[in-house]
Amino acid sequence: MRSGGLIALEGIDGSGTTTHSKILYERISGMGVKAFLTHEPTDGPVGRIIRDILSGKLKVGHDVLALLFAADRLLHVHEIYDVMRNCFVITDRYLFSSIAYQGLFLPESWVRSINSRAPLPDLTILLDVDVDTAMSRIKNRGKREIFEEREKLERIRERFLRLKDEFNMFVVDSGRPVEVVADEIWDIFRRWAGI
Ligand code: TYD
């Protein structure tokens, strides 16, 4: 039985990473097991700069944005590294978001190399959803960010799916109702953790 580790939920915008990270966190904690919920971009100083770029308030090149994501991630890792030894740390997005998103605009090998000091997650769940469903969810949220365009999301979705075998990701069809998806994630977690 495991008592800790890093669990990453990944997927395109509108795939439900925030919703399902929260539900998984609540279910684990509800069993009296130690869990910690976190996200990227973080709420730290670099994460705040990233948010301004995503909203279009600040303009920088894709290379600078990729470096900021990588720096934000390393600061994040320093924060959670000790915690994940005896606690399930659930992160809403992590390393594979950089490979999928920033790798669309930059050489993927470079994106991988600037992120090479970030440890691989112990469990990755890829929430896969078709872009029509994702776009309609994004529209209902109101605020828009720079990656939220159909054609970009199509290509980012393909990039995530391409990574699934190399990194042993569990792919969950996230186009279904929230409770159905949450139950499947819960089953994956329990089997993996041996709980
Ligand atoms: P998102 O989870 O959508 O934040 P919010 O729900 O607050 O809008 O993440 C923000 C965006 O950042 C999303 O479009 C994915 C993108 N992103 C990257 O491009 N690279 C990364 O490494 C990470 C972590 C996120």
Side-chain angles (χ1 to χ4, degrees):
M1 193 181 120
R2 291 177 199 258
S3 56
L6 181 61
I7 304 169
L9 269 73
E10 299 274 17
I12 59 170
D13 295 79
S15 63
T17 58
T18 305
T19 303
H20 289 292
S21 300
K22 211 160 144 212
I23 297 174
L24 180 60
Y25 165 76
E26 280 161 5
R27 287 193 176 182
I28 300 174
S29 317
M31 288 182 83
V33 173
K34 274 205 257 173
F36 181 76
L37 179 62
T38 182
H39 55 264
E40 289 188 9
T42 68
D43 298 325
V46 182
R48 286 199 295 274
I49 298 173
I50 293 173
R51 295 261 170 220
D52 282 346
I53 298 164
L54 293 174
S55 67
K57 207 163 127 193
L58 199 67
K59 290 212 180 344
V60 301
H62 286 294
D63 48 3
V64 172
L65 179 58
L67 289 166
L68 289 168
F69 272 120
D72 187 44
R73 179 157 305 120
L74 284 188
L75 291 170
H76 192 201
V77 166
H78 286 305
E79 239 176 69
I80 59 181
Y81 200 74
D82 288 332
V83 183
M84 65 201 194
R85 263 183 235 181
N86 62 353
C87 174
F88 292 106
V89 175
I90 301 145
T91 181
D92 172 4
R93 297 189 177 282
Y94 187 62
L95 173 65
F96 304 123
S97 281
S98 278
I99 301 179
Y101 281 78
Q102 279 61 61
L104 183 62
F105 308 97
L106 298 158
E108 187 178 311
S109 57
W110 182 71
V111 177
R112 286 187 185 224
S113 106
I114 60 173
N115 281 282
S116 59
R117 289 179 62 80
L120 289 174
D122 299 296
L123 171 66
T124 304
I125 297 173
L126 175 60
L127 299 176
D128 183 50
V129 69
D130 65 84
V131 172
D132 284 339
T133 307
M135 291 294 294
S136 69
R137 289 177 183 170
I138 293 166
K139 266 192 212 123
N140 291 338
R141 278 191 212 157
K143 76 177 167 76
R144 295 297 290 268
E145 290 184 340
I146 59 175
F147 298 121
E148 295 173 352
E149 287 166 22
R150 177 178 303 273
E151 198 248 345
K152 278 185 198 160
L153 288 186
E154 289 285 6
R155 293 171 63 199
I156 293 165
R157 180 188 183 200
E158 281 164 22
R159 296 181 58 80
F160 270 125
L161 287 169
R162 217 168 11 85
L163 296 172
K164 76 175 193 309
D165 291 332
E166 183 184 352
F167 295 103
N168 297 317
M169 297 177 180
F170 287 84
V171 182
V172 173
D173 171 5
S174 183
R176 298 169 297 165
V178 171
E179 317 78 63
V180 177
V181 177
D183 285 349
E184 188 173 334
I185 294 172
W186 183 234
D187 282 346
I188 292 168
F189 168 76
R190 291 189 71 164
R191 260 184 279 131
W192 169 79
I195 290 175

